[in-house]
């Protein structure tokens, strides 16, 4: 569904992303992992059209979308969410979701109905009329997801949707993502929380220093020495190795 | 002019909003006064002229009241109702409502044509007479409004009189002036004046070699001075406001522009004593064709004394406002009533010839006083002398400027 | 007309220097506090009155008034920012706009009330002196202002670059959080900056009055051009303001010469819009927004 | 319309009561004053579309107002076009000018104070142009021939004009409400709150912002054209001056930007304040502005969300302490 | 030296920190671990005076400092090197460093300057260069150097290893040890668990605004729960 080939981007002299390629098959959940500052979000901004890559291409459903503006990419069915969730203050939760729904439903009634529907599906039925600015972090994350879903997107790029949540909330979100996937949606998700990725994703790519260092099933990745080092720091892999042998 | 608020005013004022706006009749029941409005821009960019005008109106009212008020109304005192048009037409218009509600019988104003157009139109709805102090744009008297009375000359008359006088001067000097440069502000009076000049000057054998319009405010006159210099004009005919005139006069001097005469028309500075005081050298021999009083009349002398006692410069704004209040007072004497309609009739029938202005008997035709006329002044030493028409003159004109 | 081009360019440069002087203070305030100070014109007017009265009552020459007026206006600016603008605006850009607007209304109308709208100009012996440069006569006062602007911008720049206060101001402008973390009191620094900006306007007033006049409305005559100069030069760039001021003076002068004086200012605003559209960061600006 | 609290309802009821009381009081001062306030309210409502809902603060709404007034005046004076048609063209010209300024400014991503200064400059360029060319009457301005009648859109009876204005203001507010409740309105608010998130949700932010300028321009042109029909005279300072731009933004900010009622309530409140100041200090022209400005500063400090925001704090229907906008 | 007790804080209606207690003793390196969004930066902002806590107190050298202005807290002896470094990119390295000593008497500035130059020889080579031209690692060093210029008793480092190459990370941690050896206490906020626990004496693990683990660094390193939290194993 999504093919990214040799994506590169530098800011000033800093090579933020170099030569990243990845595939997201339809109906799958693919993780994009890596420590802070590895270049994950930069990848997202390029895939979703917010910044133009210096090199490489992005193909969505067989069509080259490299360099298209975000609203056109969104109209084709791919949408990104943001790591720092900022609901539109001044609008209620339902109206927030409706902003997404308006993409394909120009009438307020239809959009609001769809928003209500999506909100309920994501367990926000009792907070639809509340001002969005009053939501907790977990609520905001759900709202972000709901807004994205309401656009009718087929592929969702989720940026750290679990960050800042407590384990019970993470479990809820994991459940919701599974449910959405069952409905036929595809995900590419940036995650820092390995636990969540392990329980959701079939495949994951690990990015460090702007480069892909590994990819495969998450369960294998956590055993990969380069991944462990990227996460826990130099020497960690050796130490783990020692413990295993001990 | 000093405005002071005392505590009583403030106390009175706290209730004023409700009282004056909602129940106009209360204030009218005070007896032996008759109210006359003064609508002038006291704030904003026209504040200078507006404040001067308001002062002139006050001097006139004081004088009339001291002399026993309106005799046909048992010596009723004139009470001026002064409102601030804020240099904005819509405020001028809504200030007319305030005047009407305060019960004025007529009002004077309003310095700038844009303000006068708006106010007189609003006043027409009340049959309330506006006696224009300054309102040079001709469209003021071309709308057929029955409540418009322009006591002073408009731009057309000012320009044609200026041309006649210029012709006399030039002939008297042996036609030394052959070329002219015109510098004018780009508003209604300047533009209109320039148009008439361009058409009429050649008939007097004077070629217009340069016409330059400039905005108000304008910050630098160096280029204009250079262009005037390059045009080698014998005479400069400027028409602009005091600030620009001051800068222009300085630039002319700095750029060493040699002119046989400076002959301004409704020039804001050339008949302003403040300009003369602060720019002694460049002001010498400058002539102006403008509104001005007859300095020989008793009232004029009294006005000059009053203004000087108040520490106020005697500008033409003070004079014309003084005169318009005189006109209104005369009509009040004749109508003997504070009825607005009667006031309109009295004004329309006015033949008043006792004003401080050097005019013939007042005669309003379509609201325009046909017997008004501008005069020529010339700056001599520290004084502004009146040089034309001869019967009022305080000095002989010097034309052209004597060579140094 | 071609013989007028050189004098027109020169007199444009002279006028442009005045624009630059007025814009210096504005660009400093804009660059550091990121606020649009609508009271700038009114502060100029206030300074012009101060210089005028020093001359009128005490006979102090406008140029000799500089050491008196500058510190007073620095203190005034400091107090306005510390005591009024900052506490009343609660940090919102829109509020700052309204407060400086209200402030200018207060200053203008108090001036009108106390000093009336009379046009005043100083009577100085050298009022009509000129300097002849390349055959053009330039008013002495303008030439002095030109020289002062050429000196003031680099001096201010040196102050910014090489003093402790200067680098604190730059630090706050570039990275407010970082500045706080090294112990810079941001509110104090903002107020100092506003004070310097106001002192710049006072300097402009001292240099302008000998060739100009003062009325309570005179601020409006310069403030829009000053805004243009700031944006054209690049927000916060002192040297940019100098160059932009001079450039605008020349553009205005030449447009006036060729298009007519009424349209002369159009050149300024066309230049302004073009710069904003094609290089939003201004001539010497670093970052656009 | 959903008002969130008894306080807001009280404010709206007070405004309506005031507007209707003008009929009963038969005071020419009130009616004249309120007519002026209502014309300003329309330009304030115009600013509210871009500045309030869209978060694009313009300092140059006079550009739209003046264009509406001049377009209508030029057609009537120079070409003898019927007043109604000219009036319509005034609105269209305002919209076109809005679209033009928006298209230029937003293409290069100008925001915040840059956008504000560009609009300021546009208004200033237009002011200079209007005072320089013959077709606009140059410095003399343009004056409509005094000719009362329905055909010429001149109504000497001010009660009639007031009623027309009330209807127009109501219509503009209704349109504002429709915008607020529409896809377009939701998009505008989304752009104001977070432009990146809005783009991610498929919003063509450039198009929406330009459209907002077009609508705002139509309202602004409408206000200008109404001013012309009322005073029959315009010149460049009157309709392109910075006073118009300031009045356009000050009312909504004080009343509550991004609300339907805020611009009207703010404008009425400020005009009442200005009138009150004039009556408190009747013999000191200028000092009334000082008083006005001091109250304005206090209002800025005390009303972070305008009058509507303040009113929202009183008598909230539900006990939850929300920071809603009306 | 630094005593934090019962701190609660947040943004608007969102509570981020829910009652934290933490101590840093003189001369100690303490690590504060936790993944994104758990409240590490909020805690930093409370310590350095940018956020007022809704409950609890922060005291430094026996004096309560919460409620003081950030500039006063710097003057009291706490220097913070924030996440994202917040250096002044348009200013030269020399200017950046000198500004670090803004609250210090001029007499000592030269001395401190020399000291920082000795610790960071790379910076010394480019004193006249503008800070924006430095690489990420060098910028991080500059930020630390700037912090050191205020002669702090406590240096707070927020994610100093963020975005650095492995080699650079090694160097950074070596530097931290070196600074600490001069007697400066360090509060190290990190995601690089291994390296942090390697240099720290004690550590706290923050999750959702609460400390879930705390203790000696060596003990924590051996605790499988830590790895669970980080890698999901």
């Amino acid at each position: 569904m999504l093919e990214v080939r040799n994506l590169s981007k530098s800011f000033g002299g800093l090579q933020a992303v170099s030569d990243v390629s990845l595939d997201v098959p339809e109906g799958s959940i693919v993780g994009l992992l890596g420590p802070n500052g590895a270049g994950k979000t930069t990848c997202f901004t390029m895939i979703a059209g917010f910044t133009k890559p210096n090199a490489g291409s992005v193909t969505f459903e067989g069509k080259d979308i490299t360099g298209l503006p975000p609203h056109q990419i969104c109209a084709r069915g791919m949408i990104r969410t943001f790591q720092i969730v900022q609901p539109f203050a001044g609008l209620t939760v339902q109206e927030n979701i409706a902003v997404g729904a308006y993409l394909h439903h120009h009438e307020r009634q239809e959009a609001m109905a769809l928003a209500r529907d999506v909100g309920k599906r994501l367990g926000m039925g009792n907070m639809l009329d509340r001002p969005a600015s009053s939501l907790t972090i977990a609520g905001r994350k759900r709202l972000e997801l709901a807004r994205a879903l309401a656009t009718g997107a087929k592929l969702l790029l989720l940026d750290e949707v679990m960050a800042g949540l407590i384990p019970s909330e993470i479990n809820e979100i994991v459940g919701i993502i599974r449910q959405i996937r069952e409905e036929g949606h595809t995900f590419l998700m940036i995650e820092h929380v390995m636990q969540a990725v392990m329980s959701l994703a079939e495949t994951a790519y690990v990015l460090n220093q702007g480069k892909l260092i590994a990819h495969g099933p998450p369960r294998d990745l956590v055993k990969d020495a380069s991944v462990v080092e990227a996460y826990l720091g130099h020497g960690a892999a050796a130490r783990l190795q020692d413990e295993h042998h001990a | 002019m000093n405005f002071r608020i005392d505590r009583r005013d403030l106390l009175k004022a706290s209730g004023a909003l409700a009282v004056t706006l909602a129940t106009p009749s209360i204030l009218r029941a005070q007896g032996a006064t008759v109210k006359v409005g003064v609508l002038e821009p006291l704030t904003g960019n026209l504040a200078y002229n507006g404040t001067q005008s308001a002062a002139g109106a006050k001097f006139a009212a004081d004088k009339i009241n001291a002399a026993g008020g309106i005799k046909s109304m048992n010596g009723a005192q004139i009470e001026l109702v002064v409102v601030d048009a804020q240099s904005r037409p819509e405020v001028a218009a809504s200030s007319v409502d305030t005047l009407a509600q305060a019960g004025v019988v007529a009002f004077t104003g309003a310095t700038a044509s844009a303000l006068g157009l708006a106010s007189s139109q609003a006043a027409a709805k009340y049959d309330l007479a506006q006696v224009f102090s300054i309102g040079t744009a001709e469209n003021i008297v071309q709308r057929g409004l029955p409540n418009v009375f322009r006591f002073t000359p408009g731009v057309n008359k000012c320009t044609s009189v200026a041309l006649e006088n210029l012709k006399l001067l030039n002939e008297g000097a042996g036609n030394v002036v052959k070329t002219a440069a015109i510098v004018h502000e780009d508003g209604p009076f300047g533009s209109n004046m320039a148009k008439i000049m361009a058409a009429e000057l050649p008939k007097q054998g004077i070629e217009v070699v340069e016409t330059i319009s400039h905005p108000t405010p304008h910050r630098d006159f160096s280029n204009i001075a250079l262009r005037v210099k390059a045009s080698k004009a014998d005479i400069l005919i400027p028409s602009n406001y005091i600030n620009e005139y001051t800068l222009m006069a300085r630039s002319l001097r700095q750029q060493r522009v040699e002119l046989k005469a400076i002959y301004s028309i409704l020039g804001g500075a050339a008949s302003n004593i403040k300009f003369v005081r602060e720019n002694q050298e460049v002001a010498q021999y400058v002539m102006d064709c403008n509104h001005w009083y007859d300095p020989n009349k008793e009232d004029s002398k009294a006005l000059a004394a009053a203004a000087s006692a108040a520490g106020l410069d005697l500008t033409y704004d003070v004079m014309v406002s003084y005169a318009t209040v005189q006109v209104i007072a005369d009509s009040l004497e004749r109508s003997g009533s504070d009825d607005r309609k009667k006031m309109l009739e009295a004004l329309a029938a006015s033949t008043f010839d006792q004003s401080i202005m050097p005019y013939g008997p007042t005669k309003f035709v379509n609201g325009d006083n046909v017997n008004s006329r501008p005069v020529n002044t010339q700056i001599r030493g520290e004084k502004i002398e009146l040089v034309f028409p001869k019967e009022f003159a305080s000095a002989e004109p010097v034309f052209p400027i004597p060579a140094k | 007309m071609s013989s007028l081009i050189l004098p027109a360019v020169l007199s444009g440069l002279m006028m442009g220097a005045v624009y630059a002087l007025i814009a210096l203070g504005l660009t400093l305030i804009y660059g550091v506090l990121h606020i649009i100070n609508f009271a700038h014109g009114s502060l100029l007017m206030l300074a012009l009155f101060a210089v005028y009265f020093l001359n009128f009552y005490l006979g102090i020459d406008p140029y000799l008034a500089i050491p008196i007026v500058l510190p007073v206006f620095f203190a005034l600016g400091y107090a306005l920012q510390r005591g009024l603008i900052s506490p009343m605006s609660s940090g919102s850009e829109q509020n700052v706009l309204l407060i400086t607007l209200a402030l200018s209304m207060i200053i203008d109308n108090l001036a009108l009330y106390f000093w009336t709208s009379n046009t005043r100009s100083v009577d100085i012996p050298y009022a009509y002196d000129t300097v002849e440069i390349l055959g053009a006569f330039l008013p002495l006062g303008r030439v002095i202002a030109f020289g002062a602007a050429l000196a003031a911008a680099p001096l201010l720049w040196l102050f910014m670059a090489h003093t402790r206060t200067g680098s604190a101001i730059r630090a706050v402008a570039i990275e407010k959080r970082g500045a706080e973390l090294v112990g810079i009191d941001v509110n104090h620094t903002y107020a100092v900056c506003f004070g310097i900006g106001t002192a710049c306007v006072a300097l402009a007033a001292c240099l302008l009055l000998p060739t100009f006049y003062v009325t309570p409305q005179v601020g409006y005559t310069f403030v829009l051009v000053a805004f243009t100069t700031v944006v054209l030069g690049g927000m916060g760039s002192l040297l940019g303001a100098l160059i932009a001021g001079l450039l605008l003076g020349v553009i205005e002068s030449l447009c006036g010469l060729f298009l007519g004086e009424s349209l002369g200012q159009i050149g300024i605003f066309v230049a302004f819009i073009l710069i904003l559209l094609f290089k939003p960061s201004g001539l010497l600006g670093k970052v656009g927004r | 319309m959903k008002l969130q609290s008894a306080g807001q309802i009280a404010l709206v009821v007070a405004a309506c009561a005031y507007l209707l009381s003008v009929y009963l009081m038969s005071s020419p001062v009130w009616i004249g004053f309120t007519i002026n306030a209502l014309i300003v309210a329309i330009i304030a409502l115009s600013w509210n579309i871009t500045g309030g809902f869209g978060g694009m603060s313009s300092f140059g709404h006079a550009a739209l107002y003046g264009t509406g007034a001049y377009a209508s005046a030029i057609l009537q004076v120079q070409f003898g076009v019927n007043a109604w048609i000219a009036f319509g063209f005034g609105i269209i010209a305002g919209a076109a000018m809005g679209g033009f300024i928006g298209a230029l400014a937003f293409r290069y991503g100008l925001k915040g104070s840059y956008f504000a200064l560009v609009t300021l400059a546009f208004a200033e360029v237009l002011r200079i142009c209007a005072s320089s060319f013959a077709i606009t009457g140059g410095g003399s301005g343009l004056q409509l021939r005094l000719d009362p009648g329905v055909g010429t859109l001149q109504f000497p009876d001010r009660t009639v004009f007031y009623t027309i204005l009330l209807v127009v203001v109501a219509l503009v507010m209704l349109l504002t409400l429709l915008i607020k409740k529409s896809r377009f309105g939701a998009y505008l608010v989304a752009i104001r709150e977070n432009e990146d998130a809005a783009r991610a949700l498929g919003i063509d932010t450039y198009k929406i912002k330009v459209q907002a300028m077009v609508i705002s321009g139509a309202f602004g042109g409408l206000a200008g054209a109404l001013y012309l029909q009322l005073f029959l005279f315009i010149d460049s300072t009157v309709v392109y001056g910075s006073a118009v731009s300031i009045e356009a933004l000050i009312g909504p900010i004080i009343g509550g930007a991004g609300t339907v009622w805020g611009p009207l309530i703010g404008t009425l409140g400020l005009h009442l304040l200005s009138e009150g100041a004039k009556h408190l200090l009747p013999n000191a022209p200028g000092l009334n502005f000082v008083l006005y400005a001091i109250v304005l500063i206090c209002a800025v400090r005390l009303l972070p969300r305008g009058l509507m925001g303040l009113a929202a704090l009183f008598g909230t229907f539900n006990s939850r302490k929300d920071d809603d906008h009306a | 030296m630094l005593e934090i007790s019962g701190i609660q804080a947040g943004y608007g209606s969102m509570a981020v920190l829910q009652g934290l207690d933490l101590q840093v003793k003189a001369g100690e390196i303490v690590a504060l671990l936790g993944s994104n969004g758990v409240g590490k930066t909020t805690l930093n902002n409370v310590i350095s005076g940018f956020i007022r806590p809704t409950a609890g107190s922060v005291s430094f050298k026996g004096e309560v400092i919460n409620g003081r202005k950030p500039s006063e807290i710097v003057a009291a002896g706490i220097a913070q090197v924030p996440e994202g470094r917040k250096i002044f990119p348009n200013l030269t390295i020399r200017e950046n460093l000198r500004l670090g000593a803004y609250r210090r008497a001029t007499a000592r500035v030269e001395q401190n300057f020399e000291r920082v130059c000795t610790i960071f020889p790379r910076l010394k080579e480019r004193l006249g260069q503008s800070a924006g031209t430095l690489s990420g690692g060098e910028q991080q060093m500059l930020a630390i150097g700037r912090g050191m210029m205020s002669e702090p008793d406590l240096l707070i480092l927020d994610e100093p290893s963020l975005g650095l190459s492995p080699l650079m990370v090694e160097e950074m941690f070596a530097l931290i040890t070196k600074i600490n050896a001069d007697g400066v206490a360090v509060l190290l906020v990190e995601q690089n668990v291994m390296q942090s626990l390697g240099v720290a004496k004690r550590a706290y693990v923050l999750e959702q605004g609460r400390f879930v683990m705390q203790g000696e660094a060596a003990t924590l390193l051996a605790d499988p729960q830590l790895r669970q939290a980080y890698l999901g194993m």
Side-chain angles (χ1 to χ4, degrees), chain C residues 164 170 174 180 183 185, chain E residues 50 69 86 91 95 102-103:
Chain C
R164 182 168 176 267
R170 286 194 298 150
I174 299 167
E180 285 176 294
D185 183 340
Chain E
F50 289 110
K69 283 195 281 189
K86 310 282 180 204
L91 269 51
E95 285 172 323
Y102 190 79
R103 305 288 297 207

Side-chain angles (χ1 to χ4, degrees), chain D residues 216-243:
Chain D
S216 185
F219 289 176
L222 170 70
L226 278 168
Y227 179 94
L228 173 72
Q229 293 311 126
L230 178 61
F231 293 106
L232 307 181
F233 170 80
I234 54 168
D235 70 22
S236 58
T237 327
V238 168
V239 293
Y240 278 131
S242 53

